[in-house]
Structure formats: structure tokens, C-alpha cells
Amino acid sequence: MEARQVVLDTETTGLEVSEGNRLIEIGAVEMIERRLTGKQFHYYLNPQRTIEDGALEVHGISEDFLQDKPLFGDIAAEFLDFIRGAELVIHNAAFDLGFLDAELAVLADFPGQVTDFATVLDTLALARDMHPGQRNSLDALCKRYDIDNSNRSLHGALLDAQILAEVYLAMTGGQTDLGLSFAVSQNRSELHATVDASERPPLRVIRPSAEELQQHQSRLQVIQQASGSCLWLELEEMA
């Protein structure tokens, strides 16, 4: 069965859900087998309340802009269908889940909590395990993993979900497409060639430096910690 993940982010009227703050934006992108499919979920929402000044400074989404947007209840069924059976990848998941669960709880036909429909992976918790004592905000992780976030002058749920997808892939395995795809010739005989070994120049062997070996081991440890298993480390232990 294909591994399906949904990378998700939200924007809100304020920081504290306990003070009656509401969702104003949900953005999510789908990944299958660690590849973005192009399928996404994105809505701005009318919160039916004022937006706190501090929140407005973060995301720049005004109350006037949201006046004609749907209520959460209008899109709840579509949202639950989108996340159903997936692993949600969220940065600081407790924040987003708190607001999503609060929105679900006030629906007339309460369908349950988010975790009744999907599992959750918190990339903030993962980053703290991988980089203890360091800054692990999304911006800090973009800098650490060389992810371009130059368009992120203001927070936006869909943009942040797209950036988080790149960060998550870098954190948990690095390059996902090895670039080995090529156009196959219609004439399969063109794919075969005979090379005279005597015509080859001697192979040049370049051995890694001590620093490169140390960096390699550090990377393997990151993979081991993120995935729970690293074949290269296991082979080295068997050798």
C-alpha cells in the first residue's frame, strides 16, 4: 500500500484557542511515497470574529478579505476526506490540531477529532530530537537545509505547507529524486554497446578524507534517528 502523507499548516485569528480564536486559513499538500502529487487543499475561512493585531502582523490576512469566505463547517467534510487515512506532517502539531479539533467540536454533527481520521508526525518534535539546543523554527530549518523561503515575507498556510514538505524531505532522507530518468530510445538496440576494456584509461580511485568520513557517519546517524533503520549502519556493524 502506498504511503500517503499530507503536509498541513493553518493560520488563525490569534495564538490561544482557549480564548475563542478561530481558523482563518488551511493549506495542505499531498505526498505519496515521498513525492508531491500536485494535489492540494486550500481555503480561507470567515472566523466570524476579530483578528488580533499580533496575528495580523504575522499573516497579513484582514477581516475585510475574509468576509465573503466560507465558514469552517462549509468545508469540514471536504477537509476530512482529504486527510482521511493519511499521515499528517505538521510543524508544532499541537497548535494546529488544537484549532482544528476546536472547529470540529462546535459542528452540529460532531465527526470526531483529527486523529480519528489521520495519524500525525510533528516535525518540530523531530527537529528537536535531531538538533537539540538549536533553533528549530521553520525559517531556521530552511536555512539549515538550504531550502529557499525567500517568498515567505508573511506567513501563509499553503506556502508554509509547501515549504514544510521540502524541509521534511530534507530532514528525513535528503534527495528523493536521483535524476536517473531518461528518454528511452524507440530502437532498443541503441541502448546496447560494446566497449573494449583495453581502450579504457586506468580508473582513478579517490578515497574520502577523515572529515568526509565523519560527515558521512553523522548523516547516517540522522537517517537512523529519523527512520528507525539505516541499512548502511547495519552493514557496517556486521562487517
Side-chain angles (χ1 to χ4, degrees), residues 24-44:
I24 61 171
E25 186 186 9
I26 304 175
V29 296
E30 180 187 67
M31 292 196 301
I32 294 180
E33 298 295 343
R34 294 176 58 82
R35 292 181 184 276
L36 289 166
T37 66
K39 188 176 180 181
Q40 63 186 40
F41 179 93
H42 183 226
Y43 278 101
Y44 291 103

Side-chain angles (χ1 to χ4, degrees), residues 91 127 131 136-146 167 171:
H91 200 68
H131 310 291
N136 289 302
S137 66
L138 188 56
D139 284 336
L141 291 172
C142 285
K143 183 176 182 180
R144 187 171 302 143
Y145 290 100
D146 197 26
V167 168
M171 288 173 65

Side-chain angles (χ1 to χ4, degrees), residues 99-150:
F99 277 90
L100 288 165
D101 285 344
E103 296 284 356
L104 292 170
V106 298
L107 296 180
D109 186 16
F110 173 56
Q113 296 182 321
V114 169
T115 51
D116 294 326
F117 297 85
T119 59
V120 177
L121 185 153
D122 187 348
T123 50
L124 178 59
L126 177 62
R128 285 171 173 168
D129 286 341
M130 295 173 64
H131 310 291
Q134 300 183 51
R135 294 182 63 249
N136 289 302
S137 66
L138 188 56
D139 284 336
L141 291 172
C142 285
K143 183 176 182 180
R144 187 171 302 143
Y145 290 100
D146 197 26
I147 304 296
D148 181 13
N149 66 339
S150 55

Side-chain angles (χ1 to χ4, degrees), residues 220-232:
L220 294 185
Q221 292 293 338
V222 169
I223 295 172
Q224 172 84 1
Q225 190 172 21
S227 66
S229 176
C230 178
L231 181 59
W232 287 322

